[in-house]
Amino acid sequence: MGEGFAAALPANAWNWIAVWRRNYLAWKKVALASLLGTLADPLIYLFGLGTGLGLLVGRVEGASYIAFLAAGMVATGAMTASTFETIYAVFGRMRDQGTWEAILHTQLTLGDIVLGELAWAATKAFLAGTAITIVAATLGYAAWTSVPYVLPIVALTGFAFASLAMVVIALAPSYHYFIFYQTLVITPMLFLSGAVFPVGQLPGAFQRLAAFSPLANSIDLIRPLMLGHLADNVGLHIGALCVYAVLPFFLSAALFRRRLLR
């Protein structure tokens, strides 16, 4: 049993790079279309809500509404990019395209594949978050000095959401089941985690629930930095994101092993 579980873990610290590189070479052919599709949703929220509602709302927590919203959209962009890369592209490579099966005939283990896929999803989240951060800083909605500090948080956010989505695809029989994850988890998280309006405006029970959200922890780190001041409880928020990144990784590796051995 121990040997079987070990086969679901990475063989070493570098094998995953081969999986990451394989995905990068395939993505490079459609990079522009992929980036535009990833950025469309958060940028529409940013300019649609930011300029529209911003005229009605005024200032929020000492900043203009669009500046408040920009930080939420950076984290949301990372969440969306890594989640959709995992539940659609990774699921396709695992179930329909035979990519995982082919890789497993090499020296790579199942854990190497899962880690490589997670790293690639985090990379796409990093690209999406970087683009939105640069747009926000260029338009004056974020401090340029915050960018080097925001981007590692974006990457960690992407890894955490990709890790969570890995558990979903390890359990889902088909693509049709992903709509439940999107509508029952991802969309409510967008509105309950402080991305669009302050968490403090929510009822007490929802505020306590939001505190456990990976998106809320990401936003609580990113927003203060983009607005030019330090975040509170930095270690707590980073620790929460690391838990969401690491624990689902081990769980998904075990679930994938069980699934592929059926």
Side-chain angles (χ1 to χ4, degrees):
M1 181 176 177
E3 292 181 359
F5 183 72
L9 298 177
N12 52 49
W14 57 84
N15 274 0
W16 63 269
I17 298 174
V19 179
W20 183 95
R21 182 174 181 273
R22 180 264 166 211
N23 291 341
Y24 166 73
L25 293 175
W27 171 82
K28 188 169 66 170
K29 301 173 184 177
V30 293
L32 181 59
S34 176
L35 283 173
L36 290 176
T38 301
L39 292 174
D41 198 45
L43 288 178
I44 288 172
Y45 271 107
L46 177 61
F47 292 112
L49 292 178
T51 57
L53 284 179
L55 296 175
L56 301 174
V57 174
R59 301 184 71 79
V60 179
E61 297 184 350
S64 66
Y65 179 66
I66 193 168
F68 173 88
L69 185 64
M73 290 303 102
V74 171
T76 299
M79 173 185 72
T80 304
S82 60
T83 297
F84 279 81
E85 170 66 22
T86 306
I87 64 176
Y88 290 108
V90 176
F91 187 76
R93 290 192 287 269
M94 183 269 294
R95 195 192 70 162
D96 300 327
Q97 299 172 17
T99 305
W100 283 28
E101 183 179 356
I103 295 174
L104 286 172
H105 283 85
T106 69
Q107 71 270 27
L108 272 66
T109 65
L110 179 59
D112 295 324
I113 298 174
V114 173
L115 184 57
E117 296 283 15
L118 289 175
W120 174 244
T123 301
K124 293 196 70 175
F126 178 82
L127 293 173
T130 299
I132 299 169
T133 303
I134 290 173
V135 169
T138 301
L139 296 176
Y141 303 134
W144 278 106
T145 53
S146 69
V147 175
Y149 302 100
V150 167
L151 297 186
I153 302 169
V154 169
L156 179 58
T157 302
F159 198 101
F161 275 100
S163 193
L164 290 168
M166 276 289 185
V167 176
V168 175
I169 70 170
L171 295 171
S174 70
Y175 291 99
H176 303 292
Y177 288 80
F178 297 145
I179 190 65
F180 298 110
Y181 184 61
Q182 295 172 46
T183 57
L184 299 178
V185 178
I186 297 299
T187 300
M189 199 180 299
L190 169 64
F191 292 105
L192 296 177
S193 299
V196 180
F197 51 82
V199 173
Q201 300 296 318
L202 295 170
F206 287 106
Q207 291 184 40
R208 290 188 289 273
L209 181 63
F212 294 97
S213 161
L215 184 60
N217 283 279
S218 176
I219 292 171
D220 285 344
L221 289 169
I222 292 172
R223 179 169 286 135
L225 291 171
M226 290 183 65
L227 296 179
H229 51 88
L230 294 177
D232 297 325
N233 302 315
V234 173
L236 178 64
H237 296 311
I238 292 177
L241 288 174
C242 288
V243 168
Y244 281 113
V246 174
L247 293 186
F249 163 70
F250 288 108
L251 176 59
S252 64
L255 291 172
F256 278 125
R257 180 177 179 273
R258 186 181 69 177
R259 176 173 184 150
L260 295 176
L261 287 178
R262 286 176 184 171

